[in-house]
Amino acid sequence: MAGERQDDCLFCKIVAGEVPADVVRETDTTLAFRDINPQAPTHVLVVPKAHYRDAASLAAADARVTADVLREAGEVAAQDRVDGTGYRIVFNTGTGAGQTVWHAHAHVLGGRGFNWPPG
Ligand code: AMP
Ligand code: ZN
């Protein structure tokens, strides 16, 4: 069910401390940790501690935690000092868009230039 821990979910296990991660920020409702396969000098994932399959499901269920995730994405960018040059917040949603982990997460990417349209 939405919001409840899923035992087969990698990010639920990271939130629970059962899988190690390079955590950079934590709040009551969110966890931010470095991506294991970084695509930019700063590549951090911000996840809600509760389980939702994607960002839209999170937003439909809990506006406050959705805002927490976005605020924390900005805080990560500031902490890594990429806010001045600009950074990208990405929510891959669905297989065709590249989503591979089915626990909502924001990618915070910075420290290099980015093209538009994205690949
Ligand atoms: P997405 O493809 O948008 O679902 O993003 C999933 C992200 O999770 C990818 O960028 C992976 O590199 C990252 N990832 C997978 N396993 C781990 C892990 N154990 N710790 C940190 N990041 C991970
Ligand atoms: Zn999960």
Side-chain angles (χ1 to χ4, degrees):
M1 190 196 281
E4 291 180 5
R5 180 202 158 106
Q6 303 290 302
D7 286 335
D8 59 350
C9 172
L10 173 63
F11 290 174
C12 282
K13 288 178 181 164
I14 288 177
V15 167
E18 296 165 8
V19 169
D22 184 359
V23 172
V24 296
R25 291 185 62 85
E26 182 171 12
T27 70
D28 286 351
T29 58
T30 66
L31 190 70
F33 52 92
R34 298 205 184 274
D35 196 293
I36 204 167
N37 182 23
Q39 302 302 312
T42 286
H43 188 173
V44 171
L45 304 175
V46 183
V47 308
K49 288 184 171 176
H51 179 93
Y52 299 93
R53 70 188 312 276
D54 57 31
S57 300
L58 165 63
D62 196 326
R64 186 176 70 87
V65 175
T66 305
D68 292 343
V69 168
L70 278 176
R71 187 195 62 249
E72 284 299 304
E75 293 293 339
V76 163
Q79 193 168 295
D80 267 21
R81 300 178 183 275
V82 297
D83 52 335
T85 47
Y87 58 95
R88 195 166 279 184
I89 301 173
V90 175
F91 293 93
N92 293 326
T93 305
T95 307
Q99 188 176 0
T100 59
V101 177
W102 300 90
H103 179 129
H105 53 281
H107 295 257
V108 181
L109 297 147
R112 66 169 172 84
F114 296 98
N115 295 324
W116 195 263

